[in-house]
């Protein structure tokens, strides 16, 4: 790995960690357990700038750091979701290329992220089927909203700093 | 939103349809509940009728969660957990609703009495 790539990825991990901790304090009216997923902006940028490995590295290290500095018990939820969502986005980007815009990628990542966490909640709590149905419908809609917002921000960043890609 | 690709739009529309179908399905099968089921650590710990008012406690891995049943509804009054999402959920009374406390591994479900909706009226 060349030095520039290493430095860039480190900065992205740092920014993603800060975003992920900071967005819990944002005064946005929302249910407590919902997040916009702002840290995913950095995963998206790493994917567009480099590749799936860079994206997964940023997502996983960010998740671990945010767990250590935020709430450690929630790592059981955030870490697997970071792996599956970054992997999905990377895979879709590799297969579909430009046919999916960064917003499509962001939405896919958000949906997979939420459904992974639902699966973990199912494993821990043995959720009832009606709960799974209610939650999955709700989580798909919120992932759509969050995915569009983070995708738009990532696109805006690429637009104002085109040298990134 | 001008530069969405056609695949982006297809994804968005598909997700909206899936979510709406889910909500319609839930709404169709939801009914007034008559029984509460309290799960701890994924296993059924208590099964209580909703027509009898009471306040009780269950113990999860973190500690005690206080629960109240009143007039056909159930809520968590207090919990040892950090964010108190279970307390903020408030009262629930429909069969599709639930209260989850992920940190304390407690889930409260409701089950219906088999009757769809209350009878509109009776003529004699």
């Amino acid at each position: 790995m060349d030095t520039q790539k290493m430095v860039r990825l480190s900065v992205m991990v740092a920014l993603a960690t800060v975003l992920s901790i900071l967005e819990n304090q944002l005064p946005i009216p929302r249910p407590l357990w919902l997040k916009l997923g702002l840290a995913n902006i950095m995963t998206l940028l790493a994917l567009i700038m480099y590749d799936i490995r860079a994206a997964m590295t940023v997502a996983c290290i960010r998740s671990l750091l945010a767990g250590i500095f935020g709430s450690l018990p929630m790592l059981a939820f955030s870490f697997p979701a970071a792996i599956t969502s970054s992997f999905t986005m990377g895979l879709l980007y590799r297969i579909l290329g430009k046919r999916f815009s960064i917003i499509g990628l962001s939405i896919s990542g958000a949906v997979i992220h939420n459904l992974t966490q639902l699966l973990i909640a199912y494993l821990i709590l043995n959720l009832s089927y009606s709960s799974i149905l209610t939650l999955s419908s709700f989580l798909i809609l919120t992932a759509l909203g969050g995915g569009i917002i983070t995708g738009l921000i990532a696109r805006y960043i690429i637009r104002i700093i085109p040298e990134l890609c | 939103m001008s530069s969405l690709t056609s695949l982006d739009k297809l994804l968005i529309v598909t997700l909206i349809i899936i979510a709406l179908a889910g909500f319609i399905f839930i709404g169709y099968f939801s009914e007034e509940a008559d029984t509460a089921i309290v799960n701890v650590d994924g296993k059924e710990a208590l099964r209580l009728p909703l027509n009898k008012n009471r306040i009780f406690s269950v113990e999860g891995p973190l500690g005690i969660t206080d629960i109240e049943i009143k007039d056909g509804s159930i809520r968590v009054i207090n919990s040892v957990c950090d964010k108190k999402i279970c307390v903020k959920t408030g009262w629930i009374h429909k069969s599709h609703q639930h209260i989850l406390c992920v940190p304390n591994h407690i889930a409260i479900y409701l089950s219906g009495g088999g009757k769809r909706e209350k009878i509109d009226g009776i003529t004699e």
Side-chain angles (χ1 to χ4, degrees):
Chain A
M1 191 187 283
D2 64 273
T3 317
Q4 189 194 47
K5 182 178 176 184
M6 198 173 74
V7 172
R8 278 182 169 179
L9 287 183
S10 314
V11 172
M12 287 161 101
V13 167
L15 284 172
T17 309
V18 172
L19 280 175
S20 140
I21 296 169
L22 213 86
E23 76 173 332
N24 278 330
Q25 338 278 318
L26 285 181
I28 304 172
R30 66 193 161 95
L32 261 176
W33 45 280
L34 279 184
K35 289 170 90 179
L36 269 174
L38 291 179
N40 201 38
I41 296 168
M42 292 303 147
T43 314
L44 280 166
L45 288 180
L47 179 63
I48 305 285
M49 283 167 67
Y50 298 106
D51 52 11
I52 181 169
R53 277 180 57 193
M56 289 184 75
T57 310
V58 170
C60 292
I61 301 179
R62 182 268 301 166
S63 160
L64 286 176
L65 288 176
I68 291 166
F69 294 115
S71 61
L72 205 53
M74 288 300 130
L75 254 184
F77 283 85
S78 59
F79 193 65
I83 295 175
T84 54
S85 69
S86 56
F87 179 73
T88 306
M89 292 192 297
L91 203 65
L92 287 173
Y93 187 57
R94 188 174 285 182
I95 297 170
L96 297 170
K98 292 278 172 226
R99 278 185 286 164
F100 241 177
S101 79
I102 195 163
I103 292 167
L105 288 176
S106 171
I107 295 169
S108 318
V111 170
I112 295 298
H113 181 276
N114 281 3
L115 294 183
T116 306
Q117 299 204 326
L118 180 61
L119 176 73
I120 296 159
Y122 170 72
L123 294 176
I124 293 178
L125 293 171
N126 192 11
L127 294 176
S128 70
Y129 291 116
S130 70
S131 296
I132 294 172
L133 191 62
T134 317
L135 283 171
S136 55
S137 305
F138 183 69
L139 287 173
I140 286 173
L141 273 192
T142 53
L144 188 60
I148 290 174
I149 293 169
T150 49
L152 282 172
I153 298 172
R155 194 174 70 177
Y156 179 71
I157 292 172
I158 292 174
R159 213 168 263 173
I160 54 172
I161 322 175
E163 308 85 70
L164 283 180
C165 312
Chain B
M1 303 289 272
S2 55
S3 55
L4 285 180
T5 66
S6 48
L7 215 52
D8 285 347
K9 289 171 191 160
L10 182 69
L11 177 72
I12 293 172
V13 171
T14 313
L15 290 175
I16 291 175
I17 290 172
I18 292 173
L20 286 183
F23 284 130
I24 291 167
F25 189 81
I26 296 155
Y28 186 76
F29 285 102
S30 186
E31 55 190 2
E32 280 300 322
D34 63 2
T35 310
I37 300 147
V38 181
N39 281 14
V40 181
D41 257 332
K43 288 182 206 72
E44 186 175 318
L46 285 168
R47 183 177 280 263
L48 297 164
L50 285 177
N51 56 16
K52 199 169 162 230
N53 296 352
R54 68 177 103 202
I55 293 173
F56 59 99
S57 304
V58 286
E59 189 168 3
L62 279 188
I64 300 289
T65 296
D66 298 318
I67 302 169
E68 178 180 15
I69 293 179
K70 197 182 174 195
D71 303 331
S73 297
I74 188 167
R75 69 164 171 169
V76 172
I77 307 171
N78 200 8
S79 169
V80 286
C81 59
D82 189 27
K83 292 188 175 176
K84 310 256 187 257
I85 291 171
C86 48
V87 179
K88 284 171 186 149
T89 306
W91 293 102
I92 61 168
H93 59 93
K94 289 266 192 185
S95 63
H96 73 276
Q97 293 178 306
H98 54 238
I99 301 174
L100 303 177
C101 182
V102 175
N104 208 19
H105 294 198
I106 287 172
I108 302 169
Y109 303 116
L110 297 178
S111 111
K115 50 189 182 295
R116 284 296 314 279
E117 280 297 318
K118 289 205 174 93
I119 300 163
D120 293 332
I122 297 171
T123 48
E124 294 189 19

